Amino acid sequence: MMGSVTTLNEFIIDRQSDFPYAKGELTRLLNHIGIAGKVVSREVNKAGLAEILGEIGSNNVHGESQKKLDVYANQKFINALQGSGEVCGIASEENEEIIAFDDDLAKNGPYIVSIDPVDGSSNIDVNVSIGTLFSIYRRVTPRGHRAGDADFLQEGTRQVAAGYILYGSSTVMVYTTGRGVNGFTLDGSIGEYCLSHSDIMAPPNGIIYSINEGHYIKFPDGVKKYIKYCQTNDPQTNRPYVSRYIGSLVADFHRNLLKGGIFIYPTTEQNPHGKLRLLYECNPLAFLIEQAGGRATDGYGNRILDIKPSKLHQREPLFIGSRNMVSLAEQMMKEYSPIK
Ligand code: AHM
Ligand code: MG
């Protein structure tokens, strides 16, 4: 304890006995993720100086141009996780296939991690918030062997921990191990994450809706109806609501988690399965929001955490946030757009 400050390390160790497999491995793993996040945070903060802005000239697995920071952060997280000894493999937004570690220490690791090292890449070069998302599972293949796809294609309900690091006006790490949600702000002067948001609960109602309305014309009717509901004047229910959309999932999610709101990335004509990836974008946030008392579904009656992934980079539509707001959007989907 440093005075009245609780650091991430202290907090994780205090909570170690809560973990389903309390051998200290998950404790160390979360610490390693936090450390890699500090390194990325440092680079983000000096990005304009460090010649780390801009594109690298290659495309990632989704055909999107890779930014230098994407590549840098991906490598930092891979190195930190491989070196930790707790992780036998990683799935990353930046890599088409899983990365299965070959050294004996890592092959013995009990966990796998799915990660989006830098989410919201289009915001890097313009100094707008970006984030890292991570999701941790026990492996299903035996220890001592290389990780396989089956380790990653598990339902979100099987996550043992998940979280994000938001590189915003400050750097914040928020995570859950299934016993509530806690947030830690990085104090650069001491180089530590300090507990700043304990036992976060999402308000059941909110006044913020977050969706890329530029695609309105291509949205399912249920989403169009919900947007019109948000925009309708009704002072009794605090409408019209406020529209807020950063285009960085972590930042949009974090704001709505704290203030109350709904985030929707639905199916569209160009993205008939939505845009966001189940393994490393939808699942960690769905785990967090449920732990905080909120809801996450695909808008077609399926709880995100129950979806059995069939491929690594699978996309799903996402309706996530305050419980009552998501329920109402789901009702409208059921009535006006029942089929995907
Ligand atoms: P990225 O992983 O390539 O950065 O894309 C994911 C991002 C999310 O952060 C954000 O919610 C979404 O894409 C925004 O998409 P759009 O610009 O279509 O609204
Ligand atoms: Mg992403």
Side-chain angles (χ1 to χ4, degrees), residues 46-64:
K46 61 177 189 179
L49 298 171
E51 295 188 345
I52 204 160
L53 294 182
E55 288 167 12
I56 202 162
S58 57
N59 282 348
N60 71 7
V61 35
H62 313 285
E64 300 152 349

Side-chain angles (χ1 to χ4, degrees), residues 100-117:
F101 298 136
D102 274 320
D103 58 287
D104 287 341
L105 177 69
K107 273 201 298 199
N108 222 22
Y111 295 106
I112 61 96
V113 178
S114 293
I115 191 160
D116 184 353

Side-chain angles (χ1 to χ4, degrees), residues 93 116 118-121 133 249 276-277 280-281:
E93 181 178 347
D116 184 353
V118 178
D119 184 69
S121 314
L133 290 144
L249 179 61
L276 301 172
R277 272 56 57 120
Y280 40 80
E281 292 173 331

